[in-house]
Amino acid sequence: MARVCSILLASQIFLLHLVTAAHGGEIYTRADFPADFVFGSGTAAPQYEGAAFEDGRTASIWDTFAHSGRSKGANGDVACDGYHKYKEDIGLMVETGLEAFRISISWSRLIPNGRGPISKKGLKYYNNLITELTSNGIQAHVTLNHLDLPQALEDEYKGWLSRNIVKDFVDFADVCFKEFGDRVLHWTTINEANIAALGGYIDGIIAPGRCSTRSICAEGDSTTEPYTVLHNMLLAHSAAAKLYKKKYLSTQNGKVGINIYTLGFVPLTNSTQDVIATQRVIDFYIGWVMNPLIFGDYPDIVKKRVKTRIPAFTKQESEQVKGSFDFIGLNHYTTVYVKDSPNKKRDINDFYTDMAAETIYKRDPDAPEFEYPEMAWGLKGQLEYIKQVYGNPPLYIQENGLSLSCIYIYI
């Protein structure tokens, strides 16, 4: 059996070594791209490591959510077993020609109680993994939190819903910067901050699985919690970035960023209503994160529609969040059509009613033709939008393309 798992796992296959693509009759190879253009792949601790309860690792909110049965029976107990087989996987990456590999640190493996003593075995694993990557000429891009907050902190104070998370996150980041920063030059604090807030606190479809719909979630308040969570994530991110610049930048010379999920947004029709709604949706999905990072506050339309349900930045917090990144990580997979929907009825006022628009993923009788082979322009459009609106910040496309679970080929 040939095992090809980690390099194809659930995320971003940008391009592999000397992959050729026919486009307009031309063939492209690695040599057609600048030398400093980095091709890589990646995954996350819950998707890759396995060994969920080995060597002192404790449960994360993702483990708890998965074992609740709400993830359709899937869990990360074994996953791709990268905890035991990372050397074999890195060998495959070398054969493939990957130049970078994005991993995440399981907070509950490194610091099992969320704070306090560091696990010696957890520390050894990440040191070995990162060293194995870098010694084989593969850049290690590290994400600090990828939907897997320690369950201990969720139990103690509801995790991202509490301001207590800011200090604990900074302390966790401090450990990672100190222990791995001599080999890691690219740090992403939080993966898909906007989707973590929406999926975990409105839809209830990812950890910690909170929402107002009691037929789905045992607890949660979708009217306020996503806004509180995203606010605390921005504060935690900016505090960790501030720490890095103060304590580690001069010796490690690394970069710290944050990741957001982007969609391509296209008006369903050329009506004024749909065009305005499309901009409103962009402000809610993307401006919700980007505006504080660039301008120090949420978009005006978001504040106007959400009112007191979204936390306000103090002057000090605004100054800390503004400019608190060296790069923005983008995850992008598809494009949606936007239809103005000011009177759409939902049981509660939440992000979706605040946005007052529908996003249509699939073919709709009233929609233009939706052809997947031509959807690459959605990513191009988002890159151009961020460049023009937010002053051309440094960007990494950290996820893009095809999502796959573990793949095994038997020969």
Side-chain angles (χ1 to χ4, degrees):
M1 181 180 72
R3 180 172 176 275
V4 286
C5 189
S6 66
I7 59 173
L8 298 178
L9 173 64
S11 58
Q12 54 282 7
I13 308 172
F14 303 135
L15 285 176
L16 303 182
H17 183 52
L18 295 180
V19 168
T20 60
H23 180 73
E26 297 183 56
I27 300 297
Y28 293 97
T29 70
R30 178 64 180 88
D32 292 302
F33 293 83
D36 60 351
F37 195 103
V38 178
F39 291 98
S41 184
T43 186
Q47 299 168 313
Y48 173 67
E49 291 179 5
F53 303 103
E54 290 185 32
D55 292 340
R57 183 187 181 278
T58 60
S60 71
I61 58 173
W62 187 257
D63 296 308
T64 301
F65 180 79
H67 281 273
S68 72
R70 292 168 62 188
S71 61
K72 299 181 180 179
N75 61 59
D77 291 4
V78 178
C80 290
D81 200 21
Y83 187 73
H84 299 111
K85 299 180 179 179
Y86 66 91
K87 287 188 177 182
E88 180 182 346
D89 291 333
I90 293 171
L92 291 171
M93 296 177 206
V94 172
E95 291 180 22
T96 305
L98 293 185
E99 299 166 349
F101 189 53
R102 180 179 176 230
I103 63 172
S104 74
I105 304 292
S106 168
W107 187 341
S108 56
R109 188 183 299 284
L110 187 62
I111 307 176
N113 293 322
R115 70 169 72 88
I118 300 170
S119 165
K120 292 181 179 179
K121 291 184 177 179
L123 180 62
K124 181 180 179 181
Y125 168 69
Y126 289 114
N127 268 318
N128 289 344
L129 173 62
I130 292 168
T131 296
E132 189 74 13
L133 286 168
T134 55
S135 64
N136 279 280
I138 299 172
Q139 295 178 14
H141 290 237
V142 174
T143 299
L144 294 176
N145 187 251
H146 197 124
L147 302 176
D148 59 346
L149 196 73
Q151 185 63 41
L153 302 183
E154 184 73 17
D155 292 340
E156 181 181 344
Y157 53 70
K158 299 300 181 187
W160 289 112
L161 284 168
S162 170
R163 290 291 182 98
N164 292 334
I165 193 64
V166 176
K167 182 181 185 305
D168 285 337
F169 183 80
V170 170
D171 289 345
F172 164 58
D174 194 11
V175 172
C176 295
F177 296 153
K178 177 183 177 182
E179 299 293 343
F180 315 128
D182 59 324
R183 289 150 292 163
V184 176
L185 296 178
H186 304 87
W187 297 95
T188 302
T189 52
I190 298 167
N191 183 73
E192 292 185 356
N194 49 350
I195 296 303
L198 297 177
Y201 298 85
I202 290 184
D203 303 317
I205 58 174
I206 58 177
R210 297 175 64 88
C211 65
S212 291
T213 306
R214 289 295 168 260
S215 61
I216 301 174
C217 307
E219 57 184 348
D221 179 2
S222 299
T223 66
T224 61
E225 288 186 1
Y227 298 114
T228 300
V229 165
L230 194 282
H231 194 80
N232 289 338
M233 285 181 172
L234 288 170
L235 296 179
H237 154 77
S238 59
K242 180 180 179 180
L243 170 76
Y244 186 86
K245 290 179 180 179
K246 179 179 179 180
K247 191 173 180 179
Y248 296 102
L249 179 60
S250 62
T251 56
Q252 296 181 359
N253 297 310
K255 300 180 184 299
V256 178
I258 187 171
N259 175 282
I260 63 173
Y261 181 81
T262 67
L263 293 157
F265 296 104
V266 181
L268 180 64
T269 72
N270 61 1
S271 69
T272 300
Q273 292 86 350
D274 286 353
V275 171
I276 293 174
T278 300
Q279 182 58 55
R280 188 166 63 246
V281 168
I282 292 172
D283 285 335
F284 268 82
Y285 268 99
I286 298 174
W288 186 25
V289 182
M290 287 296 299
N291 275 49
L293 292 170
I294 300 296
F295 306 120
D297 202 0
Y298 299 113
D300 289 340
I301 189 64
V302 174
K303 292 191 295 180
K304 179 180 178 180
R305 298 186 68 87
V306 183
K307 299 180 180 178
T308 59
R309 288 182 289 116
I310 191 168
F313 292 107
T314 66
K315 182 179 179 180
Q316 181 180 0
E317 290 169 347
S318 175
E319 291 174 352
Q320 177 176 292
V321 172
K322 182 179 179 180
S324 62
F325 65 92
D326 298 308
F327 66 87
I328 299 296
L330 296 185
N331 294 356
H332 178 93
Y333 290 98
T334 192
T335 292
V336 295
Y337 294 101
V338 177
K339 179 180 180 180
D340 185 44
S341 184
N343 300 314
K344 185 176 181 180
K345 301 296 184 183
R346 287 174 62 87
D347 294 335
I348 59 172
N349 289 327
D350 61 14
F351 181 90
Y352 301 114
T353 52
D354 295 334
M355 196 166 60
E358 295 181 54
T359 53
I360 302 170
Y361 284 83
K362 297 182 179 179
R363 182 75 174 95
D364 184 275
D366 299 322
E369 196 66 26
F370 196 107
E371 295 290 346
Y372 279 100
E374 299 176 5
M375 298 307 287
W377 50 260
L379 174 57
K380 180 180 178 181
Q382 283 306 306
L383 294 173
E384 185 66 27
Y385 179 84
I386 291 172
K387 176 182 178 180
Q388 297 298 332
V389 174
Y390 297 114
N392 198 23
L395 300 175
Y396 285 98
I397 301 172
Q398 294 182 321
E399 293 186 26
N400 173 245
L402 180 65
S403 294
L404 299 170
S405 57
C406 289
I407 293 178
Y408 291 86
I409 298 176
Y410 291 86
I411 51 178

